[in-house]
Amino acid sequence: MIELAVLDIAGTTVEEHGAVYIALEEAVRAAGGRPTPADIRRWMGADKREAITALLTGEPGGAPGRSTVDAVFADFRDRLDAAYADRPPAPLPGVPEALATLRAAGVKVALTTGFDRGVTDALLARIGWGDGVLDAVVCVDDVAAGRPAPYMIFRAMEATGVRDVSRVLTAGDTVRDLEAGSNAGAGIVVGVLTGGLDATALGAARHTHLLPGVADIPGLLSLA
């Protein structure tokens, strides 16, 4: 019996057309970085400040200072806001119905994300996910470390009153999402193919299931 579904946001429950990684790459390049597509993929699902630091560390001068990271992060947020204004994010097909089905069956639903609280609140407001849609939202700045650390999952359990991690399902579209679920000891760790990785790349990480999308989770739990 699953009591809690912990789901990623961008690429998992929300279609944002890859804007976050485009904005990340552009901001890092504007600061003098030269990330390759493989570099960007490596940091999918991670804390964005951590990603910026890592992507700039190999450049002349070594690891960037905090003020540099703050400036690049601010540029990233501006670029992301502009991208969302130009092409608004929206729930992925079938996801609102899946969330409603889970909650109607008594399964609590929490979102976790590598975004900070400011970005997350603005994104969820854009798509109209307020009270009555979710049971908890955990952001990377709520915990000591982002994915692949399991801390956001544990915080979601704390926020929803779920004590048995074997009764937790996690789902995400990146390797780090799956690593975090496995590191937490979640009973079900689902990779979904609605993000930027195919089944081969995503399936390389330890998981229990690969599904086309979050819309298929109620069926997996025999709720649909």
Side-chain angles (χ1 to χ4, degrees):
M1 173 62 185
I2 293 298
E3 297 180 3
L4 171 64
V6 180
L7 313 173
D8 174 51
I9 297 182
T12 298
T13 54
V14 175
E15 173 59 84
E16 48 90 67
H17 313 288
V20 59
Y21 299 114
I22 295 171
L24 177 63
E25 180 177 358
E26 289 177 347
V28 169
R29 287 189 178 279
R34 294 167 292 179
T36 66
D39 293 331
I40 298 298
R41 285 194 298 272
R42 192 175 301 116
W43 289 96
M44 284 181 169
D47 174 355
K48 300 307 174 284
R49 290 179 183 274
E50 182 183 2
I52 288 166
T53 301
L55 291 168
L56 289 176
T57 293
E59 301 305 322
R66 180 168 181 173
S67 62
T68 297
V69 173
D70 287 347
V72 177
F73 182 77
D75 184 30
F76 157 73
R77 285 190 59 169
D78 288 344
R79 292 174 187 272
L80 188 62
D81 286 344
Y84 284 171
D86 182 59
R87 195 177 186 187
L92 280 156
V95 168
E97 295 81 0
L99 302 188
T101 297
L102 289 169
R103 298 183 79 230
V107 179
K108 295 177 180 179
V109 175
L111 299 185
T112 60
T113 177
F115 293 142
D116 67 7
R117 180 64 61 179
V119 172
T120 303
D121 286 350
L123 173 58
L124 295 181
R126 282 181 181 273
I127 63 175
W129 282 4
D131 293 341
V133 177
L134 306 163
D135 295 289
V137 178
V138 181
C139 303
V140 72
D141 51 344
D142 295 329
V143 295
R147 306 173 184 126
Y151 305 143
M152 287 196 289
I153 296 167
F154 294 153
R155 182 62 62 88
M157 293 174 63
E158 180 182 14
T160 57
V162 173
R163 298 185 177 186
D164 185 351
V165 74
S166 72
R167 295 179 179 268
V168 174
L169 174 151
T170 68
D173 66 301
T174 72
V175 167
R176 285 175 182 264
D177 291 319
L178 302 189
E179 290 174 339
S182 296
N183 288 340
I188 299 178
V189 178
V190 177
V192 294
L193 303 177
T194 45
L197 300 180
D198 61 19
T200 300
L202 190 57
R206 188 152 53 102
H207 61 278
T208 61
H209 301 79
L210 289 181
L211 295 177
V214 165
D216 299 282
I217 289 176
L220 174 67
L221 301 180
S222 300
L223 300 178

